[in-house]
């Protein structure tokens, strides 16, 4: 034990899930590192020590205590794929889809993403932040302590920067920590219809260097945002995606890709080849592309809320990905079109039913592997000394209630960087 005195000991956890040991590949997924009667010693914003309650209370007799009440304690969820910052809503399109119009048909008609682009372009920065803030709080209240957010509803340099400003503003407000991604290639904007190559050139020659320069002057010291592309029929093909991602890589940006949401184009193999942090969606992924992911460091991010939201039959083939040795993570995809749901807990419930994961696997996919998908596996995603004190206390004493139950919030308390936020009333 070290000489430092903790600011707080969180003790009396029926089950402390540490998720220790790093990201979990293939058949290793689901190692919870469970300590019964567990405790965590916190020093400021960081974890100081992990062990059994008796042991830590004896080691630090003078420290302040917080009783977990014989409930489950686990790392905060990490949501590595959202589009949380937007203006307006698309409730009207939900009805159109129920009447039989497909998501990509609505986009081709100038709706879909392009409808949110119109609303986001006209919103002021303040309006954008105000409309997105409740979603950030909803994610936090459901146990997400770090969340990635993409731009992609501006599609001009200026309005994409406005979205980055909104992400940085919400991150500065806290307590939710936001990880930014530039998704200028989310759709071909109306003014470039029929000229996709010209828009790709604009992204490569003006937007990427412009974002890079803006970041250096306005957010220097913070790691560069990720760069993502919607690689899909009706959006950007593999050659266009390659052009954008290779340019981004040359500028030093870390990479992500939306691949195989509706059709298999080969975007996942491209992500693996370029060393992207993640390839996301992966619903229609071919065996060859699954193999490429399994042999790479690229995290396969499954978004089960999206086929659920679109009422489609196919989900990410998680078992095949795990058999190939891939790193699998779960995310919400929170967005106004396909999946407006801020709760990763609901994604766990879907993953257990629709992707064949056990609760143990789903929990690891939503914590340490989610952290790996945003290159933060050394700072968050598990309960280990030196990491950020981002923890959850659940309302249950058995972790398997995650996945088993759905539609109610099982998180009672969120601890973010060592600060305690009760998010549901304590039991009587
Ligand atoms: O991940 N498919 C592309 N992007 C989002 C949807 C965005 C939207 O419809 O507004 C997705 O599903
Ligand atoms: Fe998405």
């Amino acid at each position: 034990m070290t000489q430092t005195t903790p600011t707080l000991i969180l003790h009396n956890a029926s089950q402390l899930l540490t998720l220790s040991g790093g990201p979990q590949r293939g058949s290793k997924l689901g190692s919870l590192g469970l300590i019964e009667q567990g405790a965590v010693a916190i020093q400021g914003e960081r974890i100081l020590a992990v062990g059994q309650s008796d042991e830590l209370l004896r080691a630090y007799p003078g420290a302040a205590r917080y009783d977990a009440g014989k409930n489950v304690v686990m790392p905060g969820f990490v949501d590595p794929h959202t589009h949380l910052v937007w203006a307006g809503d698309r409730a009207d399109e939900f009805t159109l889809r129920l009447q039989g119009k497909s998501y990509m048909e609505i986009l081709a008609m100038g709706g879909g993403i392009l409808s949110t682009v119109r609303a986001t372009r006209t919103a002021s920065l303040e309006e954008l932040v105000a409309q997105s803030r409740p979603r950030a709080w909803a994610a936090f209240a459901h146990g997400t302590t770090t969340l990635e957010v993409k731009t992609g509803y501006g599609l001009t340099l200026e309005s994409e920067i406005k979205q980055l400003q909104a992400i940085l503003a919400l991150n500065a407000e806290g307590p939710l920590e936001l990880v930014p991604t530039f998704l200028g290639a989310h759709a071909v904007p109306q003014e470039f219809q029929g000229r996709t190559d010209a828009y790709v050139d604009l992204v490569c020659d003006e937007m990427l260097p412009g974002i890079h320069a803006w970041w250096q002057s306005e957010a220097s010291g913070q790691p560069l945002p990720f760069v993502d592309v919607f690689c899909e029929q009706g959006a950007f093909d593999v050659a266009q995606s390659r052009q954008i991602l290779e340019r981004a890589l040359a500028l030093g940006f870390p990479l992500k890709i939306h691949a195989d949401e509706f059709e298999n184009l080969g975007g996942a193999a491209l992500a693996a080849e370029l060393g992207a942090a993640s390839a996301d969606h992966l619903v229609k992924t071919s065996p060859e592309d699954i193999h490429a992911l399994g042999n790479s460091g690229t995290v396969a991010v499954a978004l089960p809320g999206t086929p659920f939201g679109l009422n489609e039959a196919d989900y990410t083939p998680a078992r095949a990905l795990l058999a190939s040795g891939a790193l699998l993570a779960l995310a919400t995809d929170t967005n106004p079109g396909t999946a407006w749901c801020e709760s990763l807990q609901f994604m766990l419930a879907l993953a257990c039913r629709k992707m064949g994961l056990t609760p143990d696997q789903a929990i690891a996919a939503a914590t340490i592997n989610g952290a790996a998908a945003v290159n933060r596996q050394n700072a968050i995603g598990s309960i280990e000394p030196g990491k950020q004190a981002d923890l959850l206390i659940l309302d249950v004493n058995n972790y398997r209630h995650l996945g088993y139950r759905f539609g109610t919030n099982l998180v009672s308390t969120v601890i973010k960087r060592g600060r305690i936020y009760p998010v549901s009333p304590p039991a009587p």
Side-chain angles (χ1 to χ4, degrees), residues 5-368:
T5 306
T7 28
L8 188 73
I9 298 187
L10 175 62
H11 67 104
N12 198 21
S14 58
Q15 299 173 329
L16 174 71
L17 313 183
T18 65
L19 280 296
S20 59
Q24 301 179 11
R25 194 175 263 286
S27 60
K28 300 261 182 349
L29 185 69
S31 315
L32 299 180
L34 191 155
I35 300 175
E36 284 183 3
Q37 266 311 308
V40 186
I42 297 169
Q43 167 65 45
E45 297 190 353
R46 300 199 170 272
I47 295 164
L48 179 68
V50 180
Q52 291 204 297
S53 288
D54 304 354
E55 185 196 348
L56 290 198
L57 292 176
R58 249 198 324 271
Y60 303 111
R65 296 175 177 191
Y66 194 93
D67 189 340
K70 291 194 171 52
N71 287 304
V72 172
V73 171
M74 62 175 287
F77 292 120
V78 180
D79 189 344
H81 182 139
T82 85
H83 305 253
L84 190 100
V85 168
W86 77 80
D89 70 62
R90 308 228 294 274
D92 51 344
E93 287 179 12
F94 177 57
T95 308
L96 281 181
R97 282 196 279 107
L98 292 176
Q99 290 164 344
K101 279 257 176 300
S102 81
Y103 175 77
M104 291 308 271
E105 277 168 356
I106 294 171
L107 177 61
M109 287 157 47
I113 294 170
L114 295 176
S115 141
T116 303
V117 167
R118 287 188 287 275
T120 304
R121 280 182 179 176
T122 47
S124 68
L125 173 60
E126 292 68 31
E127 285 164 349
L128 201 49
V129 170
Q131 290 192 37
S132 305
R133 187 181 289 116
R135 298 190 278 268
W137 274 104
F140 188 75
H142 286 84
T144 298
T145 45
T146 302
L147 167 141
E148 183 259 17
V149 189
K150 301 170 196 302
T151 67
Y153 293 125
L155 312 184
T156 63
L157 179 58
E158 196 193 352
S159 54
E160 288 288 307
I161 285 177
K162 183 174 67 184
Q163 280 190 270
L164 283 175
Q165 286 173 314
I167 297 168
L168 291 175
L170 288 168
N171 180 60
E173 278 181 18
L176 181 67
E177 192 169 342
L178 286 81
V179 178
T181 293
F182 169 68
L183 179 56
H186 193 193
V188 181
Q190 211 99 56
E191 59 277 16
F192 278 86
Q193 284 309 312
R195 297 187 297 128
T196 304
D197 281 333
Y199 184 64
V200 170
D201 288 343
L202 181 82
V203 171
C204 290
D205 300 339
E206 289 179 28
M207 293 172 92
L208 284 171
I211 295 288
H212 193 272
W214 181 82
W215 194 267
Q216 301 300 346
S217 73
E218 301 300 318
S220 64
Q222 299 189 48
L224 279 170
F226 288 91
V227 169
D228 193 347
V229 177
F230 185 22
C231 180
E232 191 69 47
Q233 203 83 56
F236 302 92
D237 64 24
V238 177
Q240 292 159 342
S241 302
R242 176 185 287 281
Q243 189 185 330
I244 292 165
L245 294 177
E246 284 186 344
R247 180 82 178 103
L249 195 59
L251 288 166
F253 290 102
L255 308 179
K256 289 180 167 287
I257 196 166
H258 279 66
D260 309 329
E261 182 173 357
F262 301 108
E263 305 200 31
N264 178 237
L265 299 192
L270 175 65
E273 178 198 325
L274 297 180
S278 73
D280 305 32
H281 284 289
L282 308 174
V283 175
K284 306 288 183 184
T285 309
S286 66
E288 295 71 35
D289 287 1
I290 289 176
H291 183 74
L293 286 173
N295 287 304
S296 76
T298 300
V299 179
V301 178
L303 308 157
T306 308
F308 178 81
L310 293 171
N311 203 17
E312 288 183 350
D314 293 338
Y315 284 73
T316 302
R319 289 197 177 166
L321 281 160
L322 293 178
S324 80
L327 283 156
L328 181 75
L330 285 171
T332 60
D333 200 18
T334 310
N335 74 78
T338 62
W340 188 337
C341 176
E342 296 89 343
S343 169
L344 259 172
Q345 293 176 58
F346 185 57
M347 303 306 133
L348 269 68
L350 286 175
C352 291
R353 287 163 187 77
K354 304 288 191 179
M355 293 164 45
L357 297 191
T358 62
D360 305 51
Q361 291 175 318
I363 290 168
T367 53
I368 186 63

